Amino acid sequence: MVNILIFGAGEGGLKAIDLLDENKVEVLAFIDNDINKNGKKINGKIIISPKEITFFKYDYIVIASIYNDEIYNQLLEIGIEEEKIITIIQDEKKVSRDLIKKTYYENHKKK
C-alpha cells in the first residue's frame, strides 16, 4: 500500500480521490494553504496545513491543484524531496487518469 498526501482540498483533490485505486493507495490527509480549510475533512480525511506534513509518514505528495508550479516550489522550499512529489497537470481543468498512473510509476521506479 502506498501512503500519500494530496495537496489541494478543492475540486482537484476530489478528482484525484476518484482516480486513485483505493486497494493500492491510502490517502492519509489533504494539504491546503487556505487556513479556513485546516481541520476540516474530505471523505473522512483531515485537511492540514503544509507545516503539518512532517507529522505524517507518507510515500508521495500528489499535487491536485491548478497551482501546480507554485505548490511544487513551495514543497521544495520546505524540504520535501523532489522524488516524493507527483504533479497532476490539468488540461482545461480535467485530470487525466493515465497521467496520474504514468507519473506515479515513473516516480516509483526511481526508488
Side-chain angles (χ1 to χ4, degrees):
M1 181 78 65
V2 177
N3 294 314
I4 66 167
L5 298 171
I6 296 177
F7 203 126
E11 185 178 329
L14 291 172
K15 286 181 181 179
I17 284 278
D18 289 340
L19 297 174
L20 296 170
D21 185 340
E22 294 176 7
N23 296 317
K24 296 180 182 177
V25 177
E26 173 69 26
V27 176
L28 303 175
F30 287 85
I31 308 163
D32 206 282
N33 285 315
D34 183 349
I35 58 170
N36 295 315
K37 293 181 180 180
N38 296 160
K40 295 181 180 176
K41 292 186 176 185
I42 297 176
N43 289 2
K45 305 296 181 180
I46 188 101
I47 302 171
I48 63 169
S49 75
K51 295 177 184 176
E52 298 172 279
I53 291 172
T54 58
F55 297 125
F56 290 84
K57 185 177 166 112
Y58 61 90
D59 298 303
Y60 299 100
I61 296 176
V62 175
I63 301 174
S65 169
I66 60 172
Y67 303 105
N68 281 328
D69 293 339
E70 294 90 341
I71 293 170
Y72 184 85
N73 290 328
Q74 176 185 3
L75 291 171
L76 292 177
E77 287 175 14
I78 63 173
I80 305 300
E81 298 171 30
E82 188 174 10
E83 299 79 30
K84 291 193 172 256
I85 303 171
I86 297 174
T87 59
I88 300 173
I89 299 170
Q90 298 179 342
D91 181 29
E92 299 177 358
K93 297 189 178 183
K94 291 183 181 177
V95 179
S96 166
R97 179 186 304 262
D98 293 336
L99 181 59
I100 292 173
K101 288 179 182 178
K102 179 181 178 224
T103 304
Y104 167 75
Y105 286 115
E106 285 175 357
N107 284 321
H108 190 66
K109 287 179 184 178
K110 288 182 182 178
K111 283 191 158 192

